[in-house]
């Protein structure tokens, strides 16, 4: 798609703290917030999560080159919700193995307790052959314990906390995308729009020397909203698969 709009009424800001007014408008949103930013900071993701918790519709477009993605406080983990499901048939099978394992353990201990007195009190070493059965039962139980540990009874699915797109960067050698979504666009309540250089990051909002414009021109904002909606729904750019990515981001204990 793409757009050109002439004679929009707007204000311009250049310098540090370019995002102060932007963040204020986002926090004061009444209905919805739309953000396009290839880089994100965890602290600002928390702002979006808070808005979502208040019932504000949030829509986010970003890239897989998210800032701090490889740090301890991963942005994307806050936006992907893991749900654990139980395979009931597998669980019943595992429970049966657990019960059998317990029975075998009782048999191993009980047989050993019986054999020792028989051997030493009756001084009949023929009873020692009974320990062959004890050893066999021990190895059978050991095999069951390994099966129990490897029995998969849980499987996992993932969903988005709120609608977002993570487009695969064209910097990725395996990416089919020829276009890197480098735009920084912010729309609040479909009434206010920001364009400029600042990413939705702590440095972009506060300390970097950035440029931005802010407009409440209804026609201009309407055109910007159309462009963002098109990018979200009809861009046909390759994006991260939610289910696969979730399995890479989260641990998935099998039982």
């Amino acid at each position: 798609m793409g757009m050109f709009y002439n004679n929009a009424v707007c204000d311009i800001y250049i310098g540090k703290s370019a995002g102060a007014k932007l963040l204020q408008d986002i926090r004061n949103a009444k209905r919805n917030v739309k953000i396009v930013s290839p880089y994100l900071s965890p602290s600002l993701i928390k702002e979006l999560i808070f808005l979502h918790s208040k019932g504000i519709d949030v829509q986010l477009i970003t890239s897989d080159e998210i800032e701090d993605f490889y740090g301890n406080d991963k942005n994307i983990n806050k936006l992907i919700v893991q749900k654990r499901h139980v395979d009931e048939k597998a669980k019943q099978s595992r429970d049966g193995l657990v019960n059998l394992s317990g029975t075998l353990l009782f048999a191993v201990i009980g047989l050993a307790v019986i054999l020792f007195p028989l051997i030493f009190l009756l001084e009949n070493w023929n009873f020692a052959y009974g320990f062959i059965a004890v050893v066999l039962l021990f190895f059978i139980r050991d095999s069951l314990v390994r099966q129990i540990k490897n029995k998969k009874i849980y499987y996992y699915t993932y969903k988005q906390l709120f609608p977002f797109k993570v487009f695969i960067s064209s910097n990725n050698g395996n990416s089919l995308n020829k276009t890197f979504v480098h735009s920084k666009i912010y729309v609040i309540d479909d009434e206010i729009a920001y364009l400029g250089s600042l990413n939705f990051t702590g440095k972009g909002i506060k300390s970097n020397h950035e440029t931005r414009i802010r407009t409440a021109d209804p026609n201009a904002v309407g055109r910007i909203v159309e462009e963002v909606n098109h990018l979200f729904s009809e861009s046909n750019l390759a994006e991260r698969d939610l289910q696969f990515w979730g399995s890479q981001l989260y641990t998935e204990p099998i039982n």
Side-chain angles (χ1 to χ4, degrees), residues 5-204:
Y5 186 83
N6 197 20
N7 296 323
V9 177
C10 63
D11 65 280
I12 299 171
Y13 186 94
I14 301 175
K16 291 185 177 181
S17 299
K21 179 63 175 174
L22 164 64
L23 199 53
Q24 179 184 348
D25 282 342
I26 288 175
R27 288 171 174 170
N28 291 333
K30 298 295 188 294
R31 299 187 304 279
N32 59 70
V33 171
K34 298 178 174 70
I35 294 178
V36 181
S37 176
Y39 305 103
L40 308 168
S41 283
S43 61
L44 295 178
I45 288 296
K46 291 176 183 177
E47 296 274 352
L48 300 184
I49 292 172
F50 178 69
L51 288 177
H52 171 74
S53 71
K54 290 171 43 178
I56 304 298
D57 291 333
V58 178
Q59 189 179 81
L60 172 67
I61 297 173
T62 188
S63 76
D64 59 355
E65 293 193 356
I66 301 171
E67 179 182 299
D68 298 332
F69 176 76
Y70 297 103
N72 293 324
D73 196 11
K74 294 182 175 63
N75 292 291
I76 205 68
N77 282 57
K78 299 179 179 67
L79 303 181
I80 296 179
V81 180
Q82 182 189 64
K83 184 174 182 181
R84 188 177 72 179
H85 307 269
V86 178
D87 184 331
E88 292 296 341
K89 289 185 178 179
K91 184 177 184 301
Q92 290 176 7
S93 174
R94 191 199 65 168
D95 290 346
L97 292 176
V98 170
N99 291 334
L100 180 56
S101 173
T103 300
L104 288 176
L105 178 61
F106 179 80
V108 167
I109 296 172
L111 186 56
V113 168
I114 292 172
L115 289 173
F116 275 112
L118 290 176
I119 292 171
F120 292 103
L121 293 179
L122 300 179
E123 297 183 352
N124 185 343
W125 290 94
N126 288 328
F127 287 112
Y129 289 111
F131 281 101
I132 296 175
V134 172
V135 172
L136 288 174
L137 289 174
F138 174 84
F139 281 111
I140 292 172
R141 181 182 179 275
D142 184 65
S143 175
L144 287 177
V145 169
R146 289 197 298 271
Q147 289 183 55
I148 291 168
K149 290 181 178 179
N150 295 323
K151 191 72 173 178
K152 182 176 181 179
I153 66 169
Y154 299 133
Y155 65 96
Y156 300 83
T157 58
Y158 298 89
K159 67 176 183 178
Q160 298 176 333
L161 182 64
F162 54 73
F164 66 87
K165 297 279 187 178
V166 179
F167 292 125
I168 299 174
S169 169
S170 57
N171 296 326
N172 184 334
N174 297 321
S175 174
L176 298 176
N177 288 347
K178 302 302 181 184
T179 301
F180 179 51
V181 180
H182 198 250
S183 295
K184 293 86 176 177
I185 306 170
Y186 306 86
V187 182
I188 297 94
D189 293 334
D190 293 340
E191 295 177 353
I192 301 169
Y194 285 81
L195 305 174
S197 66
L198 65 93
N199 286 295
F200 202 53
T201 63
K203 290 182 179 179

